[in-house]
Protein backbone atom coordinates (compact mmCIF):
# COMPACT_ATOMS: atom_id res chain seq x y z
CA UNK A 1 0.00 0.00 0.00
CA UNK A 2 1.17 3.48 -0.90
CA UNK A 3 2.76 5.38 2.03
CA UNK A 4 0.44 8.35 1.41
CA UNK A 5 -2.61 6.12 1.85
CA UNK A 6 -1.17 4.60 5.03
CA UNK A 7 -0.67 8.12 6.38
CA UNK A 8 -4.21 9.06 5.37
CA UNK A 9 -5.65 5.97 7.10
CA UNK A 10 -3.66 6.77 10.24
CA UNK A 11 -4.82 10.39 10.26
CA UNK A 12 -8.38 9.26 9.60
CA UNK A 13 -8.37 6.76 12.46
CA UNK A 14 -6.81 9.19 14.92
CA UNK A 15 -9.24 11.94 13.97
CA UNK A 16 -12.23 9.62 14.05
CA UNK A 17 -11.42 8.40 17.56
CA UNK A 18 -10.78 11.97 18.76
CA UNK A 19 -14.08 13.12 17.28
CA UNK A 20 -15.96 10.35 19.11
CA UNK A 21 -15.69 12.42 22.29
CA UNK A 22 -16.64 15.82 20.86
CA UNK A 23 -19.91 17.66 20.52
CA UNK A 24 -19.70 17.28 16.74
CA UNK A 25 -19.70 13.49 16.93
CA UNK A 26 -23.20 13.07 15.54
CA UNK A 27 -22.34 14.80 12.26
CA UNK A 28 -19.01 12.97 12.00
CA UNK A 29 -20.73 9.64 12.69
CA UNK A 30 -23.20 10.23 9.85
CA UNK A 31 -20.44 11.18 7.39
CA UNK A 32 -18.22 8.23 8.27
CA UNK A 33 -21.19 5.85 8.18
CA UNK A 34 -22.09 7.13 4.71
CA UNK A 35 -18.49 6.58 3.58
CA UNK A 36 -18.43 3.04 4.97
CA UNK A 37 -21.86 2.18 3.58
CA UNK A 38 -21.10 3.44 0.05
CA UNK A 39 -17.88 1.49 0.01
CA UNK A 40 -19.74 -1.67 1.06
CA UNK A 41 -21.81 -1.56 -2.08
CA UNK A 42 -24.62 0.49 -0.56
CA UNK A 43 -24.89 -1.47 2.66
CA UNK A 44 -27.20 -0.10 5.33
CA UNK A 45 -26.00 3.28 6.56
CA UNK A 46 -27.94 2.91 9.79
CA UNK A 47 -26.07 -0.32 10.56
CA UNK A 48 -22.77 1.51 10.03
CA UNK A 49 -23.95 4.29 12.38
CA UNK A 50 -24.86 1.74 15.05
CA UNK A 51 -21.44 0.10 14.69
CA UNK A 52 -19.71 3.47 15.09
CA UNK A 53 -21.85 4.25 18.12
CA UNK A 54 -20.86 0.91 19.69
CA UNK A 55 -17.18 1.78 19.20
CA UNK A 56 -17.82 5.20 20.73
CA UNK A 57 -19.44 3.61 23.80
CA UNK A 58 -16.38 1.36 24.22
CA UNK A 59 -14.09 4.38 23.91
CA UNK A 60 -16.02 6.46 26.43
CA UNK A 61 -15.99 3.55 28.91
CA UNK A 62 -12.24 3.09 28.40
CA UNK A 63 -11.57 6.78 28.93
CA UNK A 64 -13.66 6.85 32.10
CA UNK A 65 -11.69 3.87 33.44
CA UNK A 66 -8.33 5.29 32.37
CA UNK A 67 -7.88 2.23 30.13
CA UNK A 68 -5.28 3.51 27.68
CA UNK A 69 -4.76 0.07 26.13
CA UNK A 70 -8.37 -0.16 24.97
CA UNK A 71 -8.23 3.38 23.64
CA UNK A 72 -5.12 2.46 21.63
CA UNK A 73 -6.82 -0.74 20.43
CA UNK A 74 -9.82 1.23 19.17
CA UNK A 75 -7.56 3.58 17.23
CA UNK A 76 -5.63 0.60 15.83
CA UNK A 77 -8.89 -1.06 14.77
CA UNK A 78 -9.97 2.02 12.81
CA UNK A 79 -6.51 2.49 11.30
CA UNK A 80 -6.65 -1.07 9.94
CA UNK A 81 -10.28 -0.66 8.84
CA UNK A 82 -9.49 2.53 6.93
CA UNK A 83 -6.36 1.00 5.40
CA UNK A 84 -8.48 -1.87 4.06
CA UNK A 85 -11.06 0.59 2.78
CA UNK A 86 -8.41 2.59 0.93
CA UNK A 87 -6.72 -0.55 -0.38
CA UNK A 88 -9.97 -1.95 -1.74
CA UNK A 89 -11.25 1.36 -3.08
CA UNK A 90 -8.54 3.96 -3.74
CA UNK A 91 -11.23 6.45 -4.82
CA UNK A 92 -12.35 6.56 -1.17
CA UNK A 93 -9.15 8.51 -0.42
CA UNK A 94 -10.57 11.71 -1.91
CA UNK A 95 -13.72 11.38 0.18
CA UNK A 96 -11.76 10.69 3.38
CA UNK A 97 -9.43 13.65 2.69
CA UNK A 98 -12.44 15.91 2.16
CA UNK A 99 -14.02 14.71 5.40
CA UNK A 100 -10.82 15.27 7.37
CA UNK A 101 -10.44 18.72 5.84
CA UNK A 102 -13.91 19.73 7.01
CA UNK A 103 -13.50 18.63 10.63
CA UNK A 104 -12.47 21.10 13.29
CA UNK A 105 -9.16 20.43 14.95
CA UNK A 106 -9.37 18.84 18.37
CA UNK A 107 -7.38 20.92 20.82
CA UNK A 108 -5.17 19.17 23.32
CA UNK A 109 -4.03 20.98 26.44
CA UNK A 110 -1.32 19.45 28.58
CA UNK A 111 -0.12 20.75 31.90
CA UNK A 112 2.55 19.74 34.34
CA UNK A 113 2.13 20.28 38.04
CA UNK A 114 4.03 19.39 41.15
CA UNK A 115 6.84 21.90 41.09
CA UNK A 116 9.67 22.81 38.78
CA UNK A 117 10.81 20.13 36.34
CA UNK A 118 14.55 20.22 35.65
CA UNK A 119 14.74 17.23 33.35
CA UNK A 120 13.03 15.97 30.26
CA UNK A 121 9.26 15.67 30.52
CA UNK A 122 7.35 13.31 28.23
CA UNK A 123 3.58 13.18 28.19
CA UNK A 124 2.21 10.19 26.34
CA UNK A 125 -0.21 7.33 26.56
CA UNK A 126 2.13 4.70 25.16
CA UNK A 127 5.77 4.44 24.18
CA UNK A 128 6.73 1.36 22.23
CA UNK A 129 10.28 0.36 21.55
CA UNK A 130 13.23 1.88 23.30
CA UNK A 131 13.44 5.38 24.65
CA UNK A 132 16.83 6.90 25.36
CA UNK A 133 17.34 10.32 26.88
CA UNK A 134 20.57 12.23 27.25
CA UNK A 135 22.02 13.52 30.48
CA UNK A 136 20.17 16.00 32.63
CA UNK A 137 21.29 19.62 32.93
CA UNK A 138 22.71 20.81 36.19
CA UNK A 139 20.00 21.76 38.62
CA UNK A 140 20.21 25.13 40.33
CA UNK A 141 22.05 24.84 43.60
CA UNK A 142 23.74 21.52 42.66
CA UNK A 143 27.34 21.04 41.72
Amino acid sequence: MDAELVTLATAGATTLVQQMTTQGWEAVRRRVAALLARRRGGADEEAAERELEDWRADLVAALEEGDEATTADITAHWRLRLRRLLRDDPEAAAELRALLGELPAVEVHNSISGGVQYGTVIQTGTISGGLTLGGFPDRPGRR
Side-chain angles (χ1 to χ4, degrees):
M1 174 176 251
D2 177 292
E4 181 183 344
L5 293 180
V6 171
T7 301
L8 178 59
T10 300
T14 301
T15 301
L16 174 63
V17 172
Q18 287 174 342
Q19 290 293 321
M20 286 180 176
T21 62
T22 67
Q23 290 180 341
W25 168 241
E26 210 171 296
V28 174
R29 183 189 68 217
R30 283 193 301 270
R31 292 282 308 275
V32 173
L35 172 68
L36 295 173
R38 275 194 299 281
R39 303 304 171 194
R40 290 183 195 160
D44 185 15
E45 224 172 282
E46 288 179 14
E49 282 193 45
R50 283 191 302 272
E51 177 188 4
L52 285 161
E53 201 54 41
D54 288 344
W55 282 102
R56 179 186 178 279
D58 290 347
L59 176 65
V60 168
L63 291 172
E64 287 174 356
E65 296 170 6
D67 184 354
E68 294 175 8
T70 297
T71 301
D73 289 346
I74 291 169
T75 304
H77 166 83
W78 283 104
R79 183 174 44 251
L80 179 59
R81 182 89 175 268
L82 292 175
R83 283 181 69 168
R84 287 180 179 160
L85 173 78
L86 297 174
R87 179 196 65 205
D88 295 344
D89 185 2
E91 292 178 13
E95 192 170 350
L96 182 57
R97 274 190 202 95
L99 173 62
L100 294 176
E102 294 170 16
L103 295 176
V106 174
E107 291 186 35
V108 176
H109 299 277
N110 293 315
S111 63
I112 300 171
S113 62
V116 177
Q117 309 301 316
Y118 292 103
T120 302
V121 175
I122 300 173
Q123 292 183 288
T124 182
T126 305
I127 297 177
S128 60
L131 177 66
T132 305
L133 302 173
F136 294 101
D138 286 341
R139 295 181 183 152
R142 273 184 73 178
R143 297 208 182 246

